[in-house]
Amino acid sequence: DAGVIQSPRHEVTEMGQEVTLRCKPISGHDYLFWYRQTMMRGLELLIYFNNNVPIDDSGMPEDRFSAKMPNASFSTLKIQPSEPRDSAVYFCASRSSGDKQFFGPGTRLTVL
Amino acid sequence: LAKTTQPISMDSYEGQEVNITCSHNNIATNDYITWYQQFPSQGPRFIIQGYKTKVTNEVASLFIPADRKSSTLSLPRVSLSDTAVYYCLVGEFTGGGNKLTFGTGTQLKVEL
């Protein structure tokens, strides 16, 4: 298994632009998580899905952030419009019921 | 959510045993205790998980006292490659609750 796949690995954009981060979870995993990591705030859970349905999005910082999971093998995290304070590493993780989370390599986002 | 408290950093030498203690005073009945390891520029990686008493795998041991208000991750005979950030998480894994909170983590530095 290739593990959790994220793309792009690095993204540099300008303030005000739309950013879309992508994640492919491990096949068979029915939970998917989006995290954000910064030096100041550490690793924060933004949202998680179960069977493609968003369960808890209380960690999403504001309306500029949105996440979707159209099917079991794909999820996106979108920021529109992006701001410099959104600069961080965004991780996607997946797991099956009652098991450990597997993290992807992350997307390093820089908003200028 | 159960909040965790860990030391910010620890130093050790190769070959020594390292014990990292995590406090989680308001752990709930259904909560499990999970530890993750994170190297720079990588996503966190699962190390060990437990509910009570002691759990051991090929990498580490996890000690949980009867009141479950704390836990200790034990790394036997550390090497330079164990230099990483270690996170203690508390959360439940039943279908209804799946939210885990990563604290600030403990930066372990292993030297020769």
Side-chain angles (χ1 to χ4, degrees), chain B residues 16-102:
Chain B
Q16 290 190 332
E17 177 184 79
V18 171
N19 296 308
I20 306 174
T21 297
C22 178
S23 297
H24 27 80
N25 290 321
N26 60 338
I27 188 169
T29 302
N30 293 334
D31 288 344
Y32 279 74
I33 300 157
T34 311
W35 286 79
Y36 282 80
Q37 174 191 57
Q38 186 178 25
F39 298 111
S41 301
Q42 295 185 24
R45 185 178 70 171
F46 173 90
I47 300 176
I48 197 167
Q49 180 182 97
Y51 185 80
K52 61 180 179 180
T53 63
K54 176 183 175 182
V55 179
T56 298
N57 61 22
E58 65 278 5
V59 177
S61 293
L62 179 61
F63 298 91
I64 306 169
D67 65 6
R68 302 200 328 122
K69 293 184 182 301
S70 67
S71 59
T72 299
L73 174 71
S74 180
L75 305 173
R77 297 178 298 282
V78 295
S79 64
L80 293 175
S81 62
D82 292 317
T83 294
V85 178
Y86 292 82
Y87 294 96
C88 164
L89 287 80
V90 173
E92 59 177 307
F93 291 87
T94 56
N98 215 287
K99 193 167 184 174
L100 297 180
T101 302
F102 281 78

Coordinates of all heavy atoms in Angstrom, one line a residue, chain B residues 16-102:
Chain B
Q16 N 20.6 4.9 26.5 CA 19.9 5.1 27.8 C 18.4 4.8 27.5 O 17.9 4.8 26.4 CB 20.0 6.5 28.3 CG 21.4 6.8 28.8 CD 21.5 8.1 29.5 OE1 20.7 9.0 29.2 NE2 22.4 8.2 30.5
E17 N 17.7 4.5 28.6 CA 16.2 4.4 28.6 C 15.7 5.8 28.8 O 16.1 6.5 29.7 CB 15.8 3.4 29.7 CG 14.3 3.3 29.7 CD 13.8 2.4 30.9 OE1 13.8 2.9 32.0 OE2 13.5 1.2 30.6
V18 N 14.7 6.1 28.0 CA 14.0 7.4 28.2 C 12.5 7.2 28.5 O 11.8 6.4 27.9 CB 14.1 8.2 26.8 CG1 13.2 9.4 26.9 CG2 15.5 8.6 26.6
N19 N 12.1 7.9 29.6 CA 10.7 7.8 30.0 C 10.1 9.2 29.8 O 10.6 10.2 30.4 CB 10.6 7.4 31.4 CG 11.1 6.0 31.6 OD1 10.7 5.1 30.9 ND2 12.0 5.8 32.5
I20 N 9.0 9.3 29.1 CA 8.3 10.6 28.9 C 6.9 10.4 29.5 O 6.2 9.5 29.1 CB 8.2 10.9 27.4 CG1 9.5 10.9 26.7 CG2 7.5 12.3 27.3 CD1 9.5 11.1 25.2
T21 N 6.6 11.3 30.5 CA 5.4 11.2 31.2 C 4.4 12.2 30.7 O 4.7 13.3 30.4 CB 5.6 11.3 32.7 OG1 6.4 10.3 33.2 CG2 4.2 11.3 33.4
C22 N 3.1 11.8 30.6 CA 2.1 12.7 30.1 C 0.9 12.7 31.1 O 0.6 11.6 31.6 CB 1.5 12.1 28.8 SG 0.1 13.0 28.0
S23 N 0.5 13.9 31.5 CA -0.6 14.0 32.4 C -1.9 14.3 31.7 O -2.0 15.1 30.7 CB -0.4 15.2 33.4 OG 0.8 14.9 34.2
H24 N -3.0 13.5 32.1 CA -4.3 13.7 31.4 C -5.3 13.5 32.5 O -6.0 12.5 32.6 CB -4.5 12.8 30.3 CG -3.7 11.5 30.3 ND1 -4.1 10.4 31.1 CD2 -2.6 11.1 29.7 CE1 -3.2 9.4 30.9 NE2 -2.3 9.8 30.1
N25 N -5.5 14.5 33.4 CA -6.3 14.4 34.6 C -7.8 14.2 34.3 O -8.5 13.6 35.1 CB -6.1 15.7 35.4 CG -4.7 15.7 36.1 OD1 -4.2 14.7 36.5 ND2 -4.2 16.9 36.1
N26 N -8.3 14.7 33.2 CA -9.7 14.5 32.9 C -10.0 13.5 31.9 O -10.9 13.6 31.1 CB -10.3 15.9 32.6 CG -9.7 16.5 31.3 OD1 -8.6 16.2 31.0 ND2 -10.4 17.4 30.7
I27 N -9.2 12.5 31.9 CA -9.4 11.4 30.9 C -10.8 10.8 31.1 O -11.2 10.6 32.3 CB -8.3 10.3 31.0 CG1 -8.4 9.3 29.9 CG2 -8.3 9.7 32.4 CD1 -7.2 8.4 29.7
A28 N -11.5 10.4 30.1 CA -12.8 9.9 30.2 C -12.8 8.3 30.1 O -11.8 7.7 29.7 CB -13.7 10.4 29.1
T29 N -13.8 7.7 30.6 CA -13.9 6.3 30.6 C -13.6 5.6 29.3 O -12.9 4.6 29.3 CB -15.3 5.8 31.1 OG1 -15.5 6.4 32.4 CG2 -15.3 4.3 31.3
N30 N -14.1 6.1 28.2 CA -13.9 5.5 26.9 C -12.6 5.9 26.2 O -12.3 5.4 25.1 CB -15.1 5.9 26.0 CG -16.4 5.3 26.5 OD1 -16.4 4.2 27.2 ND2 -17.5 5.9 26.1
D31 N -11.8 6.8 26.8 CA -10.6 7.3 26.2 C -9.5 6.3 26.2 O -9.2 5.6 27.2 CB -10.1 8.6 26.9 CG -11.0 9.7 26.5 OD1 -11.8 9.7 25.6 OD2 -10.9 10.8 27.2
Y32 N -8.8 6.2 25.1 CA -7.5 5.4 25.0 C -6.4 6.4 25.0 O -6.6 7.6 24.8 CB -7.5 4.6 23.7 CG -8.2 3.3 23.8 CD1 -9.6 3.3 23.8 CD2 -7.5 2.1 23.8 CE1 -10.3 2.1 23.8 CE2 -8.2 0.9 23.9 CZ -9.6 0.9 23.9 OH -10.3 -0.3 24.0
I33 N -5.2 6.0 25.3 CA -4.0 6.8 25.3 C -3.1 6.3 24.2 O -2.8 5.1 24.1 CB -3.3 6.7 26.7 CG1 -4.2 7.1 27.8 CG2 -2.0 7.5 26.7 CD1 -3.8 6.5 29.2
T34 N -2.7 7.3 23.4 CA -1.9 6.9 22.2 C -0.7 7.8 22.1 O -0.8 9.0 22.4 CB -2.8 7.1 20.9 OG1 -4.1 6.4 21.1 CG2 -2.1 6.5 19.7
W35 N 0.4 7.3 21.7 CA 1.6 8.1 21.5 C 2.0 8.0 20.0 O 2.0 7.0 19.4 CB 2.7 7.5 22.4 CG 2.6 7.9 23.8 CD1 1.8 7.3 24.7 CD2 3.2 8.9 24.5 NE1 1.9 7.8 25.9 CE2 2.8 8.9 25.9 CE3 4.2 9.9 24.2 CZ2 3.2 9.7 26.8 CZ3 4.6 10.8 25.1 CH2 4.2 10.7 26.5
Y36 N 2.4 9.2 19.5 CA 2.9 9.3 18.2 C 4.3 9.9 18.2 O 4.7 10.7 19.1 CB 2.0 10.2 17.3 CG 0.7 9.6 16.8 CD1 -0.4 9.4 17.7 CD2 0.6 9.1 15.5 CE1 -1.5 8.8 17.3 CE2 -0.5 8.5 15.1 CZ -1.6 8.3 16.0 OH -2.8 7.7 15.5
Q37 N 5.1 9.6 17.1 CA 6.4 10.2 17.0 C 6.4 11.0 15.7 O 5.8 10.6 14.7 CB 7.4 9.0 16.9 CG 8.8 9.3 16.5 CD 9.6 8.1 16.2 OE1 9.2 7.3 15.3 NE2 10.7 7.8 16.9
Q38 N 7.1 12.1 15.7 CA 7.2 12.9 14.5 C 8.6 13.4 14.2 O 9.2 14.0 15.1 CB 6.2 14.1 14.5 CG 6.2 14.9 13.2 CD 5.2 16.1 13.2 OE1 4.9 16.6 14.3 NE2 4.8 16.5 12.1
F39 N 9.1 13.1 13.1 CA 10.4 13.6 12.6 C 10.2 14.8 11.8 O 9.1 15.0 11.2 CB 11.1 12.5 11.8 CG 11.4 11.2 12.5 CD1 10.8 10.1 12.2 CD2 12.4 11.2 13.5 CE1 11.1 8.9 12.9 CE2 12.7 10.1 14.2 CZ 12.0 8.9 13.9
P40 N 11.2 15.7 11.7 CA 11.1 16.9 10.9 C 10.6 16.6 9.5 O 11.1 15.6 8.9 CB 12.5 17.5 10.9 CG 13.1 17.0 12.2 CD 12.5 15.6 12.4
S41 N 9.7 17.4 9.0 CA 9.2 17.3 7.6 C 8.5 16.0 7.3 O 8.4 15.6 6.2 CB 10.4 17.5 6.6 OG 11.0 18.7 6.8
Q42 N 8.0 15.4 8.3 CA 7.2 14.2 8.2 C 5.9 14.3 9.0 O 5.8 15.0 10.0 CB 8.0 12.9 8.6 CG 9.2 12.6 7.7 CD 9.8 11.3 8.1 OE1 9.1 10.4 8.6 NE2 11.1 11.2 7.8
G43 N 4.9 13.4 8.6 CA 3.7 13.4 9.5 C 4.0 12.5 10.7 O 4.9 11.7 10.7
P44 N 3.2 12.7 11.7 CA 3.3 11.8 12.9 C 3.1 10.3 12.6 O 2.4 10.0 11.7 CB 2.2 12.3 13.8 CG 1.9 13.7 13.4 CD 2.1 13.7 11.9
R45 N 3.8 9.5 13.3 CA 3.7 8.1 13.2 C 3.3 7.4 14.5 O 3.9 7.7 15.5 CB 5.1 7.6 12.7 CG 5.1 6.1 12.3 CD 6.5 5.7 11.8 NE 7.5 5.7 12.9 CZ 8.7 5.2 12.8 NH1 9.1 4.7 11.6 NH2 9.5 5.2 13.8
F46 N 2.4 6.5 14.4 CA 1.9 5.8 15.6 C 3.0 5.0 16.2 O 3.8 4.3 15.6 CB 0.8 4.8 15.1 CG 0.3 3.9 16.2 CD1 -0.7 4.3 17.1 CD2 0.9 2.7 16.4 CE1 -1.2 3.5 18.0 CE2 0.4 1.8 17.4 CZ -0.6 2.2 18.2
I47 N 3.1 5.1 17.6 CA 4.1 4.3 18.3 C 3.4 3.2 19.1 O 3.7 2.0 19.0 CB 4.9 5.1 19.3 CG1 5.7 6.3 18.6 CG2 5.9 4.3 20.1 CD1 6.4 7.2 19.6
I48 N 2.4 3.6 19.9 CA 1.8 2.6 20.9 C 0.5 3.2 21.4 O 0.3 4.4 21.4 CB 2.8 2.3 22.0 CG1 2.4 1.0 22.8 CG2 2.9 3.5 23.0 CD1 3.5 0.5 23.7
Q49 N -0.3 2.3 21.8 CA -1.6 2.7 22.3 C -2.0 1.7 23.4 O -1.7 0.5 23.4 CB -2.7 2.6 21.2 CG -4.1 3.0 21.6 CD -5.0 2.8 20.4 OE1 -5.7 1.8 20.3 NE2 -5.1 3.8 19.6
G50 N -2.7 2.3 24.5 CA -3.1 1.5 25.6 C -4.3 2.0 26.3 O -4.7 3.2 26.1
Y51 N -4.9 1.2 27.1 CA -6.1 1.7 27.9 C -5.8 1.7 29.4 O -6.1 2.6 30.1 CB -7.3 0.8 27.6 CG -8.5 1.3 28.3 CD1 -9.3 2.3 27.8 CD2 -9.0 0.7 29.5 CE1 -10.4 2.7 28.5 CE2 -10.1 1.1 30.2 CZ -10.8 2.2 29.7 OH -12.0 2.6 30.3
K52 N -5.1 0.6 29.8 CA -4.7 0.6 31.2 C -3.6 -0.4 31.4 O -3.2 -1.1 30.5 CB -5.9 0.1 32.1 CG -6.4 -1.2 31.9 CD -7.6 -1.5 32.8 CE -8.2 -2.9 32.5 NZ -9.3 -3.2 33.4
T53 N -2.9 -0.4 32.5 CA -1.8 -1.2 32.9 C -0.6 -1.0 32.0 O -0.2 0.1 31.8 CB -2.2 -2.7 33.0 OG1 -2.6 -3.2 31.7 CG2 -3.3 -2.9 34.0
K54 N -0.1 -2.0 31.4 CA 1.1 -1.9 30.6 C 0.9 -2.5 29.2 O 0.3 -3.6 29.1 CB 2.3 -2.6 31.3 CG 3.6 -2.7 30.6 CD 4.6 -3.4 31.3 CE 5.9 -3.6 30.5 NZ 7.0 -4.4 31.2
V55 N 1.5 -1.8 28.2 CA 1.5 -2.4 26.9 C 2.9 -2.3 26.4 O 3.6 -1.3 26.6 CB 0.5 -1.5 26.0 CG1 0.6 -2.0 24.5 CG2 -0.9 -1.5 26.5
T56 N 3.3 -3.3 25.7 CA 4.6 -3.3 25.1 C 4.6 -3.8 23.7 O 3.9 -4.7 23.3 CB 5.5 -4.3 25.9 OG1 5.6 -3.7 27.3 CG2 6.9 -4.3 25.3
N57 N 5.4 -3.1 22.8 CA 5.6 -3.6 21.5 C 7.0 -3.6 21.1 O 7.9 -3.4 22.0 CB 4.7 -2.8 20.4 CG 5.1 -1.4 20.4 OD1 6.2 -1.0 20.8 ND2 4.1 -0.6 19.9
E58 N 7.4 -3.8 19.9 CA 8.8 -3.9 19.5 C 9.5 -2.6 19.6 O 10.8 -2.5 19.6 CB 8.9 -4.4 18.1 CG 8.3 -3.5 17.0 CD 6.8 -3.6 16.8 OE1 6.2 -4.3 17.6 OE2 6.3 -3.0 15.9
V59 N 8.8 -1.5 19.8 CA 9.4 -0.2 19.8 C 9.5 0.4 21.2 O 10.5 1.1 21.6 CB 8.7 0.8 18.9 CG1 9.2 2.2 18.9 CG2 8.7 0.3 17.4
A60 N 8.4 0.3 22.0 CA 8.3 1.0 23.2 C 7.4 0.2 24.2 O 6.7 -0.7 23.8 CB 7.7 2.4 23.0
S61 N 7.3 0.8 25.4 CA 6.4 0.3 26.4 C 5.5 1.5 26.9 O 6.0 2.6 26.9 CB 7.1 -0.3 27.6 OG 7.7 -1.5 27.2
L62 N 4.3 1.2 27.3 CA 3.4 2.3 27.8 C 2.9 1.8 29.1 O 2.3 0.7 29.2 CB 2.3 2.5 26.8 CG 1.2 3.5 27.2 CD1 1.9 4.9 27.4 CD2 0.1 3.6 26.1
F63 N 3.2 2.6 30.1 CA 2.7 2.3 31.5 C 1.6 3.3 31.9 O 1.7 4.5 31.8 CB 3.9 2.5 32.5 CG 5.1 1.6 32.2 CD1 6.1 2.0 31.4 CD2 5.1 0.3 32.8 CE1 7.2 1.1 31.1 CE2 6.2 -0.5 32.5 CZ 7.2 -0.1 31.7
I64 N 0.5 2.7 32.3 CA -0.7 3.4 32.7 C -1.1 3.0 34.1 O -1.5 1.9 34.3 CB -1.8 3.2 31.7 CG1 -1.4 3.5 30.3 CG2 -3.0 4.1 32.1 CD1 -2.3 3.1 29.2
P65 N -1.1 3.9 35.1 CA -1.5 3.6 36.4 C -3.0 3.4 36.5 O -3.7 3.7 35.6 CB -1.1 4.8 37.3 CG -1.1 5.9 36.3 CD -0.7 5.4 35.0
A66 N -3.4 2.8 37.6 CA -4.8 2.5 37.8 C -5.8 3.6 37.6 O -6.9 3.5 37.1 CB -5.0 1.8 39.2
D67 N -5.4 4.8 38.1 CA -6.3 6.0 37.9 C -6.3 6.6 36.5 O -7.2 7.4 36.2 CB -6.0 7.0 39.0 CG -4.6 7.7 38.8 OD1 -4.0 7.4 37.8 OD2 -4.2 8.5 39.6
R68 N -5.4 6.1 35.7 CA -5.3 6.5 34.3 C -5.1 8.0 34.1 O -5.3 8.5 33.0 CB -6.5 6.1 33.5 CG -6.7 4.6 33.6 CD -7.6 3.9 32.5 NE -8.6 4.8 32.0 CZ -8.8 5.1 30.7 NH1 -7.9 4.7 29.8 NH2 -9.8 5.8 30.3
K69 N -4.7 8.8 35.1 CA -4.6 10.2 35.0 C -3.2 10.6 34.4 O -2.9 11.8 34.2 CB -4.8 10.9 36.3 CG -6.3 10.7 36.8 CD -6.5 11.5 38.1 CE -7.9 11.3 38.6 NZ -8.9 11.8 37.6
S70 N -2.4 9.6 34.2 CA -1.1 9.9 33.6 C -0.7 8.6 32.8 O -1.3 7.6 33.0 CB -0.1 10.3 34.6 OG 0.2 9.2 35.4
S71 N 0.3 8.8 32.0 CA 0.9 7.6 31.3 C 2.4 7.9 31.0 O 2.8 9.1 31.0 CB 0.1 7.3 30.0 OG 0.2 8.4 29.1
T72 N 3.1 6.9 30.9 CA 4.6 7.0 30.7 C 5.0 6.2 29.5 O 4.8 5.0 29.4 CB 5.4 6.6 31.9 OG1 5.0 7.5 33.0 CG2 6.9 6.8 31.6
L73 N 5.6 6.9 28.5 CA 6.1 6.2 27.3 C 7.6 5.9 27.7 O 8.3 6.8 28.1 CB 6.1 7.1 26.1 CG 6.8 6.6 24.8 CD1 6.0 5.4 24.3 CD2 7.0 7.7 23.8
S74 N 8.0 4.6 27.5 CA 9.3 4.2 27.8 C 10.0 3.7 26.5 O 9.5 2.8 25.9 CB 9.3 3.1 28.8 OG 10.6 2.7 29.1
L75 N 11.1 4.4 26.2 CA 11.9 4.0 25.0 C 13.2 3.3 25.5 O 14.0 4.0 26.1 CB 12.2 5.2 24.1 CG 11.0 6.0 23.7 CD1 11.5 7.3 23.0 CD2 10.1 5.2 22.7
P76 N 13.4 2.1 25.3 CA 14.6 1.4 25.8 C 15.8 1.7 24.9 O 15.6 1.6 23.6 CB 14.2 -0.1 25.7 CG 13.2 -0.2 24.6 CD 12.5 1.1 24.6
R77 N 16.9 1.9 25.5 CA 18.1 2.0 24.7 C 18.0 2.9 23.4 O 18.1 2.4 22.3 CB 18.6 0.7 24.3 CG 19.0 -0.2 25.5 CD 19.5 -1.6 25.1 NE 18.4 -2.3 24.3 CZ 17.4 -3.0 24.9 NH1 17.3 -2.9 26.2 NH2 16.5 -3.6 24.2
V78 N 17.8 4.2 23.7 CA 17.5 5.1 22.5 C 18.8 5.3 21.7 O 19.9 5.1 22.2 CB 17.1 6.5 23.0 CG1 15.7 6.4 23.7 CG2 18.1 7.1 23.9
S79 N 18.6 5.6 20.5 CA 19.7 5.9 19.5 C 19.5 7.3 19.0 O 18.4 7.9 19.2 CB 19.7 4.9 18.4 OG 18.5 5.0 17.6
L80 N 20.4 7.8 18.2 CA 20.3 9.1 17.6 C 19.1 9.2 16.8 O 18.4 10.3 16.7 CB 21.6 9.4 16.7 CG 22.9 9.5 17.4 CD1 24.0 9.7 16.4 CD2 22.9 10.7 18.4
S81 N 18.7 8.2 16.1 CA 17.5 8.2 15.3 C 16.2 8.3 16.0 O 15.1 8.5 15.4 CB 17.4 6.9 14.4 OG 17.3 5.8 15.2
D82 N 16.2 8.3 17.3 CA 15.0 8.5 18.1 C 14.8 9.9 18.4 O 13.8 10.3 19.0 CB 15.1 7.7 19.4 CG 15.0 6.2 19.2 OD1 14.2 5.7 18.4 OD2 15.9 5.5 19.9
T83 N 15.7 10.8 18.0 CA 15.5 12.2 18.1 C 14.3 12.6 17.3 O 14.3 12.5 16.1 CB 16.7 13.0 17.7 OG1 17.8 12.7 18.5 CG2 16.5 14.5 17.7
A84 N 13.3 13.1 18.0 CA 12.0 13.4 17.4 C 11.1 14.1 18.4 O 11.5 14.3 19.6 CB 11.3 12.2 16.9
V85 N 9.9 14.5 18.0 CA 8.9 15.0 18.9 C 7.9 13.9 19.1 O 7.5 13.2 18.2 CB 8.1 16.2 18.3 CG1 7.0 16.7 19.2 CG2 9.1 17.4 18.0
Y86 N 7.6 13.7 20.4 CA 6.7 12.7 20.8 C 5.4 13.3 21.4 O 5.4 14.1 22.3 CB 7.3 11.8 21.9 CG 8.5 11.0 21.3 CD1 9.8 11.6 21.1 CD2 8.3 9.7 20.9 CE1 10.8 10.9 20.6 CE2 9.4 9.0 20.3 CZ 10.6 9.6 20.1 OH 11.6 8.9 19.6
Y87 N 4.3 12.8 20.9 CA 3.0 13.4 21.3 C 2.2 12.3 22.0 O 2.1 11.2 21.6 CB 2.2 13.8 20.0 CG 2.7 14.9 19.2 CD1 3.5 14.7 18.1 CD2 2.4 16.2 19.6 CE1 4.0 15.8 17.4 CE2 2.9 17.3 18.9 CZ 3.7 17.1 17.7 OH 4.2 18.1 17.0
C88 N 1.6 12.8 23.1 CA 0.6 12.0 23.8 C -0.8 12.4 23.5 O -1.1 13.6 23.5 CB 0.9 12.2 25.3 SG -0.4 11.6 26.5
L89 N -1.6 11.5 23.1 CA -3.0 11.8 22.8 C -4.0 11.0 23.6 O -3.7 9.9 23.9 CB -3.3 11.5 21.3 CG -2.7 12.5 20.3 CD1 -1.3 12.1 20.0 CD2 -3.5 12.3 19.0
V90 N -5.1 11.6 23.9 CA -6.1 10.9 24.7 C -7.4 11.1 23.9 O -7.8 12.2 23.6 CB -6.3 11.5 26.1 CG1 -7.5 10.9 26.8 CG2 -5.0 11.2 26.9
G91 N -8.1 10.0 23.7 CA -9.4 10.1 23.0 C -10.0 8.8 22.8 O -9.4 7.7 23.1
E92 N -11.3 8.8 22.4 CA -12.0 7.6 22.3 C -12.1 7.1 20.8 O -12.0 7.9 19.9 CB -13.4 7.7 22.9 CG -14.3 8.8 22.2 CD -15.7 8.8 22.8 OE1 -16.3 7.8 22.8 OE2 -16.1 9.9 23.2
F93 N -12.2 5.9 20.6 CA -12.2 5.3 19.3 C -13.5 4.6 18.9 O -13.5 3.8 18.0 CB -11.0 4.3 19.2 CG -9.7 5.0 19.2 CD1 -9.1 5.3 20.3 CD2 -9.1 5.4 18.0 CE1 -7.9 6.0 20.4 CE2 -7.9 6.1 18.0 CZ -7.3 6.4 19.2
T94 N -14.5 4.9 19.7 CA -15.8 4.3 19.4 C -16.4 5.0 18.2 O -15.9 6.1 17.8 CB -16.8 4.3 20.6 OG1 -16.9 5.7 21.0 CG2 -16.2 3.5 21.7
G95 N -17.5 4.5 17.7 CA -18.0 5.2 16.5 C -18.4 6.6 16.6 O -18.3 7.4 15.8
G96 N -18.9 6.9 17.8 CA -19.4 8.3 18.0 C -18.3 9.3 18.2 O -18.5 10.4 17.8
G97 N -17.3 8.9 18.9 CA -16.3 9.9 19.2 C -15.0 9.6 18.6 O -14.5 8.5 18.7
N98 N -14.4 10.5 17.9 CA -13.1 10.2 17.2 C -12.1 11.3 17.2 O -11.3 11.4 16.4 CB -13.4 9.8 15.8 CG -12.5 8.7 15.3 OD1 -11.4 9.0 15.1 ND2 -13.0 7.5 15.3
K99 N -12.4 12.2 18.1 CA -11.6 13.4 18.1 C -10.4 13.3 19.0 O -10.5 13.0 20.2 CB -12.4 14.6 18.5 CG -11.8 16.0 18.2 CD -12.8 17.1 18.3 CE -12.3 18.4 17.9 NZ -13.3 19.4 17.9
L100 N -9.2 13.5 18.4 CA -8.0 13.4 19.2 C -7.3 14.8 19.2 O -7.3 15.5 18.2 CB -7.0 12.4 18.6 CG -7.4 11.0 18.6 CD1 -6.4 10.1 18.0 CD2 -7.8 10.5 20.0
T101 N -6.7 15.1 20.3 CA -6.1 16.4 20.5 C -4.6 16.2 20.7 O -4.2 15.5 21.6 CB -6.6 17.2 21.6 OG1 -8.0 17.4 21.4 CG2 -5.9 18.6 21.7
F102 N -3.8 16.7 19.7 CA -2.3 16.7 19.9 C -1.9 17.9 20.8 O -2.3 19.0 20.5 CB -1.7 16.8 18.5 CG -1.7 15.6 17.7 CD1 -2.8 15.1 17.1 CD2 -0.5 14.8 17.6 CE1 -2.8 14.0 16.3 CE2 -0.5 13.6 16.9 CZ -1.6 13.2 16.2

